[in-house]
Amino acid sequence: MLRQDVREWRAEAVRRIEADYNRSADTHLIRLDLPRYPGITLYLKDESSHPTGSLKHRLARSLFLYALCSGWIGPDTCVIEASSGSTAVSEAYFSRMLGLRFIAVVPASTAAPKLEAIRFYGGEIHPVEDPRKVYEVAHELAAQTGGHYLDQFTYAERATDWRGNNNIAESIFAQMAHEEHPVPSWIVCGAGTGGTSATIGRFIRYQRHTTRLCVADPLHSVFHRHFDAADVVALPEGCASYIEGIGRPRVEPSFLPSVIDRMLAVDDADSLGAMRALSDRLGRRVGGSTGTNLVACEALIREMASAGETGSVVTLLCDSGDRYGCTYYDDDWMAERDICWAPSAARLASFLALDR
């Protein structure tokens, strides 16, 4: 295509993405009263209500706009991403919207419903046995196809406008404005790329809020270890978490520990027990990373109560549990991996109980 034609195509691509955003309402903020902790309220920012069902819809939109406006994607570009699933689902959605070929480089262990969702939006699957190789393989495919590797792990922290423009932090504070405690004591999120924590942490500082940011991280992830000791940048071989979407074996370029106030390491069994307990409270399934967030919220709220503090805590409902019916919600799958989730589910059910 001629240069002017490409320019016009990119302008139309940006228009389509922005129009799609305008057709979508903001995600819901769910209030959970905790009668056993008077004066403290928990809120869930429900990111599962995005068109592609997860928090990663925001990131995919930002990555596409960033790449388009940087001139990296054109009308014939093959788009490639390394992903544990949810980001690739959302990117496949935007690729189909723009008429682009999309290839997802995913760990072979990725939940089957996520793979089905990628294919539903026209994406191709390139599985990799060793999750540590997804980056390398994505680079190779970009070279082979003459395509563009979106590289969420590098660009997540810079693709989103953290000052505003409808980012998740701005949305949270706007929705909290009429609550009893409009400025949260804590916001809790996980880290996969690190982009969400970077956006929230920067926004808090930019707006001069007193809110503190806590990142909940799987026990078998490098992020919390790097937060405690900057020279730790990778996990030992064979160390991995079952929680998809958060936690990484290496420190990703988009992870910014300097904007985080605290990190809490969460065992997989606790995450999945909390996931089950919250699903029972809400009457619908949530994903494993939401369980990780909830465990951190429980710890913070217990600390607040012990100190006689009141206030609000906000965390993210990252995605629906429907994507994990054959894994996290399959008791046989859990038993085969010796994940003892029931005690944690009982503890978190007590924490969330509607009676005192």
Side-chain angles (χ1 to χ4, degrees):
M1 296 178 81
L2 297 176
R3 182 173 295 181
Q4 181 60 29
D5 292 337
V6 172
R7 184 184 181 92
E8 291 173 358
W9 180 89
R10 287 198 176 107
E12 172 62 12
V14 171
R15 186 202 65 77
R16 289 186 185 185
I17 292 173
E18 293 293 89
D20 178 77
Y21 175 78
N22 273 340
R23 291 192 297 269
S24 302
D26 197 1
T27 59
H28 306 302
L29 188 68
I30 300 170
R31 175 183 170 124
L32 288 182
D33 291 314
L34 304 172
R36 299 187 180 191
Y37 299 90
I40 303 174
T41 309
L42 176 63
Y43 296 84
L44 307 176
K45 180 66 168 162
D46 185 6
E47 296 294 285
S48 72
S49 57
H50 282 295
T52 53
S54 83
L55 167 67
K56 299 299 186 179
H57 192 85
R58 291 183 190 269
L59 174 59
R61 175 179 176 269
S62 294
L63 288 168
F64 265 88
L65 290 173
Y66 191 76
L68 284 163
C69 295
S70 297
W72 299 338
I73 292 179
D76 301 313
T77 303
C78 176
V79 179
I80 295 148
E81 183 63 283
S83 169
S84 62
S86 289
T87 303
V89 173
S90 300
E91 290 171 344
Y93 170 91
F94 287 109
S95 293
R96 187 175 73 173
M97 179 188 298
L98 303 182
L100 301 173
R101 181 186 179 193
F102 177 74
I103 304 174
V105 181
V106 301
S109 59
T110 301
K114 288 185 178 180
L115 303 182
E116 292 167 8
I118 294 168
R119 293 190 181 101
F120 174 79
Y121 291 117
E124 303 169 30
I125 306 296
H126 190 105
V128 178
E129 289 297 329
D130 183 353
R132 297 167 189 261
K133 300 289 188 182
V134 292
Y135 322 94
E136 177 185 333
V137 173
H139 278 295
E140 290 173 355
L141 285 174
Q144 292 169 12
T145 61
H148 175 65
Y149 171 27
L150 283 168
D151 194 358
Q152 59 169 323
F153 299 107
T154 295
Y155 294 104
E157 59 88 6
R158 66 198 72 170
T160 300
D161 185 352
W162 49 267
R163 296 170 190 84
N165 190 26
N166 299 299
N167 70 47
I168 190 170
E170 183 180 46
S171 176
I172 287 170
F173 280 94
Q175 290 177 321
M176 287 292 296
H178 299 291
E179 300 297 320
E180 298 97 315
H181 304 285
V183 177
S185 298
W186 290 95
I187 294 178
V188 177
C189 69
T193 62
T196 299
S197 58
T199 297
I200 295 173
R202 285 165 163 167
F203 185 87
I204 288 170
R205 285 154 179 75
Y206 182 61
Q207 295 293 333
R208 304 182 299 282
H209 291 306
T210 57
T211 303
R212 289 168 290 175
L213 174 62
C214 176
V215 171
D217 199 35
L219 184 62
H220 298 300
S221 167
V222 74
F223 289 139
H224 67 89
R225 304 171 195 223
H226 179 69
F227 184 79
D228 292 334
D231 60 335
V232 179
V233 296
L235 289 179
E237 196 74 32
C239 187
S241 169
Y242 286 115
I243 309 302
E244 293 185 18
I246 58 172
R248 300 298 300 169
R250 72 171 198 183
V251 177
E252 304 296 351
S254 283
F255 178 68
L256 304 181
S258 58
V259 305
I260 298 167
D261 295 292
R262 184 170 177 184
M263 292 198 71
L264 291 175
V266 180
D267 185 78
D268 286 357
D270 287 338
S271 293
L272 298 176
M275 173 199 76
R276 297 278 189 119
L278 182 58
S279 296
D280 289 342
R281 170 71 189 267
L282 295 177
R284 60 186 176 96
R285 288 178 170 182
V286 303
S289 57
T290 302
T292 308
N293 290 343
L294 182 61
V295 173
C297 289
E298 177 204 21
L300 295 172
I301 288 170
R302 289 185 188 278
E303 288 179 7
M304 289 172 65
S306 295
E309 298 175 11
T310 59
S312 57
V313 175
V314 179
T315 193
L316 308 185
L317 195 167
C318 305
D319 63 358
S320 166
D322 293 341
R323 293 177 173 176
Y324 308 99
C326 59
T327 54
Y328 304 154
Y329 287 95
D330 184 331
D331 290 349
D332 291 337
W333 186 93
M334 300 274 265
E336 288 169 6
R337 288 154 181 81
D338 295 320
I339 301 174
C340 185
W341 57 271
S344 297
R347 189 186 81 242
L348 270 295
S350 176
F351 168 73
L352 294 169
L354 287 170
D355 59 355
R356 289 177 181 268

